Amino acid sequence: MSAPTSGDSATGDSTRADVELRLPADGAYASVLRTTTAALAARLDFTIDDIEDLRIAVAEAGALVLPAADPGAALTARFQLGQGTMTVEVSTDAMDNPEPDLESFAWQVLDTPASDALVTSEQGLFRVRFTMTSQLAAGSADKPTGAEL
């Protein structure tokens, strides 16, 4: 795992990831991506159910991205960590600019628990980005604080 060395990443996004993971674009490394995601979510105090939802979502993001990968390309996962939220972007080089399949089972499984999700294919990059919020963080927004009582 490494953090980007400059403000601009390979995706052209000027927001620096808190954690970045680069792996060969091969399904054999999917478990590394799922485990890294779960470990980061645990550090953010996500519930066990939230962590499992994240593991499933990132696995489905990989399932969408891997078939589009150019031979020898890397799979890059960028994690933005917030207070009770995690934004994950999984991407790979894909010169053919494949059309995202928003009707696929993988997309439906990923999009359902996410607070927002996006899949794009442009300029030789295929990426899936989604944000998930912990049930604890979502629940605390509904509860009054001491000052509001």
Side-chain angles (χ1 to χ4, degrees):
M1 288 183 277
S2 65
T5 55
S6 70
D8 291 332
S9 69
T11 64
D13 183 12
S14 63
T15 305
R16 194 179 112 171
D18 293 317
V19 177
E20 186 171 296
L21 175 67
R22 292 176 201 222
L23 303 164
D26 184 323
Y29 293 92
S31 64
V32 175
L33 180 57
R34 288 190 311 269
T35 302
T36 301
T37 303
L40 292 170
R43 292 198 40 88
L44 294 174
D45 293 328
F46 275 59
T47 67
I48 292 175
D49 287 340
D50 292 334
I51 292 170
E52 190 57 30
D53 286 347
L54 267 165
R55 286 174 51 90
I56 291 168
V58 80
E60 297 304 334
L64 288 164
V65 169
L66 286 175
D70 289 340
L75 180 86
T76 303
R78 301 178 75 222
F79 300 88
Q80 300 281 332
L81 310 177
Q83 188 68 27
T85 66
M86 182 186 297
T87 299
V88 181
E89 179 181 292
V90 179
S91 63
T92 191
D93 292 331
M95 288 303 175
D96 292 338
N97 286 329
E99 192 64 34
D101 182 4
L102 300 181
E103 300 300 319
S104 70
F105 181 73
W107 177 254
Q108 299 303 317
V109 170
L110 183 153
D111 187 42
T112 299
S115 58
D116 68 30
L118 172 72
V119 59
T120 59
S121 179
E122 57 190 16
Q123 300 175 348
L125 186 71
F126 190 88
R127 73 177 181 164
V128 174
R129 182 179 175 98
F130 64 93
T131 300
M132 293 189 65
T133 303
S134 165
Q135 292 175 20
L136 295 176
S140 67
D142 298 333
K143 294 180 183 175
T145 61
E148 297 171 342
L149 294 177

